[in-house]
Amino acid sequence: MLALRLARGAHPLVQLRRLLVTAAAAGTGFLLLCTLGYAMAHPDASARSVLRLAWCVAPMAATVYFAVAVARSDPGTRPRPGLSAIGLGPVRLMAVSAVTTALSTTLGSMLALLFFLHLRGDLTGMPFDGAAAEFLAADRPLPLPGALTLLALVPLAASVTSALVLRPRGEKQARMSSTSTTAGASTTAGRSATAGSPTAGTTPTGGTSAKAGTAPTAAASPTADTTPIPGTDSTSTPPGASADSPASTTPHDFPAEPLDPQRPTVPQSAPGGLPWSVAVLAAGLAVETYASRSGPAHGLALPGRFADGPAGVLAGWTLTAMGLVLAGPAITYLCGWLLQAVRPGALRLLSGRVLQEEARRIGQPLGVVCAVASGAYATATLYAGARPSFGPLSTLGALLVTGCTVATLVTAAVEAKHARAETTAALLRLGAPATMLRSAALLRAGALVAVFVPLTWAVAELAAMPLTG
C-alpha cells in the first residue's frame, strides 16, 4: 500500500520514467511470449526455439538495467532524516523500491499478455485481433503456466536486482567508525581532565590560574560534584531510541553534516578497472579473430535472417562489449583529468572536477551505450553489401536494447545533476554566472563525445575486421 501511495504521488518526470519501464517490460514480455508461440507452432524445432529464447536475454538484461537505474534515481524511496522513527529505515525503503519496480514491470507483462492474446485471436475487440494467429499457433491451447513463468522473469529479475543494488551498506563500518570516534573523544577528554587536575602537577590557585585571573572550573576541581544525575548518562541515547536501534547505527538516517571549509571532504579515488577492461577487450578481439580463421565451425542462427556465424565470434563480441562497459568509469575519470591538465582555468577546472566526481555514476551507462553502438556499427559494416531484412520481432528487440541503454544514460545524467544541485546553488550564491555553468556542461559533453566516439568506432572496426577481411 505504501508503494502504491508513493507511486501515485510522485513527480510527473518520475511517473514518466516508470511508464518507460512499463513499456520496456511489455516489449520484453511480448518477445518471450512470441518465443513460446513459435515453440507451439513448431514442436519439432526445439533447438531453434531454445535459441530464440536465448536471444531474448539481451532485451531482458537491458530492461532490468533500465528498471534498476530508475529505482536508484527515485527520490521517493531515498533515506531521509527521521524516517526510522516511523518505521521507514533503509531496509524498509529498499523493500518499497523493489515493490515499486515489481509493480511497474508486472503491469508491462500484463499488457504484453493482453496484446499477445489479441494477436492470437483469443480476445476480441481490437482491429488487429487474430493478425498473427498462424505464427502464434492459435489452433493450439496456450499453456498458461508456461506463459506466466515467462512473464514473471522480468518482474522477478528487476525487483531482486533493485533490492541488491539498493541494499543498505556500511552499517558495520559506520558502527566501527562511531565507536572509534567515541573512544578517541573519550581519551582526549580524559587527558584534558587529567591535565587540568591538581594531580598533574598544577594547583587551582597557583601559577597559571592566578595570572589568567580565572577560577578553576568545576570539571577540573577535585572536589567538584561529579555524581551523575539520575536518569542520565554520558553515553545515553536520545529519548525514544535505544543503542541497538537502526536510528542510532545507520548513517543514512541522520542529516548530512554541513561542509566545513577548514576540513574538506576526501576526494574520490580513480576507478581502477581500466587494466582489466583493456585485458577483456583484447581477449574478445583475439577470440573473435581465432574463431573467424579456424575454418568452418558450428554456427548460430542470428536474428533477422542473418547468415550463420561461428559461436566463437559471438563470444568475442560479448567479451568486447564487456570490456567497453568496464572501461567506461575509468575513461570518464581520465576525461576529467585531461580537462584539468596544462594550467586549467576556472571553466576547465570545474568541468574536470565534476567529471571525476561523476565518473562512477555516468561512466558505466556510457560504456553500455558505447558497447551497443559498437555492436550495431560492426553489424552494419559486416553486412554492408547484402544487408539482411529485419523482421518485426528483431526490430522490436533492437529498439528495446537501444532505447533502454540510452534511457539509462539519460537517467544517470539527471541523477548526477540532482546530486550536485547544492554545489550549483553554492556557486550561484558566490556570484558564478549561469553561462559559465552551462559552458561547463557543454565542455563536459564535448570531452566525452571527443573520447568515446572514436573509441567506439575503433572497437567496432576491429570487431568487424576479422569477418570482413
Side-chain angles (χ1 to χ4, degrees):
M1 185 61 68
L2 179 60
L4 289 175
R5 290 182 178 179
L6 290 176
R8 185 180 60 182
H11 192 271
L13 291 179
V14 178
Q15 299 283 23
L16 177 61
R17 290 198 291 263
R18 291 171 180 169
L19 288 178
L20 291 177
V21 171
T22 301
T28 306
F30 180 73
L31 288 178
L32 293 172
L33 290 177
C34 287
T35 302
L36 177 62
Y38 180 85
M40 294 167 54
H42 304 82
D44 298 333
S46 58
R48 299 185 64 88
S49 300
V50 172
L51 187 59
R52 283 175 174 265
L53 183 61
W55 279 113
C56 294
V57 172
M60 187 171 68
T63 302
V64 171
Y65 187 57
F66 178 46
V68 172
V70 171
R72 187 173 56 239
S73 63
D74 192 352
T77 56
R78 293 177 182 174
R80 290 182 177 87
L83 288 182
S84 292
I86 59 175
L88 291 178
V91 177
R92 181 72 180 275
L93 289 177
M94 176 203 67
V96 170
S97 180
V99 171
T100 304
T101 304
L103 289 176
S104 301
T105 51
T106 302
L107 178 60
S109 298
M110 293 299 102
L111 292 177
L113 179 60
L114 290 177
F115 189 71
F116 179 78
L117 292 178
H118 276 289
L119 287 179
R120 277 174 51 93
D122 296 337
L123 297 179
T124 58
M126 292 290 181
F128 50 84
D129 289 338
E134 182 179 358
F135 177 76
L136 300 179
D139 55 339
R140 298 175 180 270
L142 179 66
L144 189 58
L148 294 180
T149 301
L150 291 177
L151 290 176
L153 291 178
V154 175
L156 184 61
S159 57
V160 171
T161 308
S162 299
L164 291 177
V165 171
L166 300 177
R167 70 186 185 276
R169 301 176 182 177
E171 281 84 359
K172 183 176 181 180
Q173 289 81 356
R175 285 195 295 267
M176 295 174 60
S177 176
S178 61
T179 303
S180 62
T181 303
T182 305
S186 301
T187 305
T188 303
R191 291 177 180 176
S192 300
T194 304
S197 64
T199 59
T202 60
T203 58
T205 58
T208 306
S209 299
K211 292 180 181 180
T214 58
T217 59
S221 174
T223 59
D225 188 7
T226 58
T227 304
I229 301 175
T232 63
D233 186 57
S234 58
T235 59
S236 61
T237 56
S242 61
D244 297 331
S245 64
S248 61
T249 58
T250 305
H252 304 287
D253 298 332
F254 293 98
E257 296 181 359
L259 295 178
D260 187 1
Q262 303 298 330
R263 300 177 62 184
T265 57
V266 179
Q268 293 185 359
S269 59
L274 188 57
W276 286 105
S277 61
V278 173
V280 172
L281 185 62
L285 294 175
V287 169
E288 182 184 351
T289 303
Y290 176 78
S292 62
R293 294 182 179 180
S294 59
H298 179 67
L300 294 177
L302 304 179
R305 301 181 181 89
F306 286 90
D308 291 354
V313 174
L314 178 61
W317 280 3
T318 304
L319 289 176
T320 303
M322 289 178 58
L324 282 175
V325 173
L326 293 175
I331 296 178
T332 304
Y333 191 91
L334 182 61
C335 290
W337 180 80
L338 291 176
L339 282 177
Q340 304 174 72
V342 191
R343 302 177 63 182
L347 182 61
R348 289 199 293 132
L349 185 63
L350 178 62
S351 302
R353 291 294 176 86
V354 171
L355 268 185
Q356 288 181 335
E357 188 71 20
E358 298 173 354
R360 289 177 173 84
R361 181 178 284 112
I362 67 174
Q364 189 177 18
L366 192 57
V368 174
V369 171
C370 289
V372 173
S374 175
Y377 183 83
T379 303
T381 303
L382 181 61
Y383 294 96
R387 184 170 301 177
S389 59
F390 278 90
L393 297 182
S394 301
T395 304
L396 177 60
L399 289 178
L400 279 175
V401 173
T402 306
C404 288
T405 52
V406 173
T408 303
L409 178 59
V410 173
T411 303
V414 172
E415 182 185 4
K417 180 181 178 181
H418 291 166
R420 63 174 185 271
E422 295 182 0
T423 303
T424 304
L427 290 174
L428 293 176
R429 286 195 303 267
L430 291 175
T435 55
M436 188 188 73
L437 299 180
R438 288 193 290 267
S439 300
L442 292 177
L443 184 59
R444 293 194 301 270
L448 293 176
V449 170
V451 172
F452 276 94
V453 169
L455 176 64
T456 304
W457 173 80
V459 172
E461 286 288 345
L462 291 176
M465 190 180 299
L467 297 179
T468 57

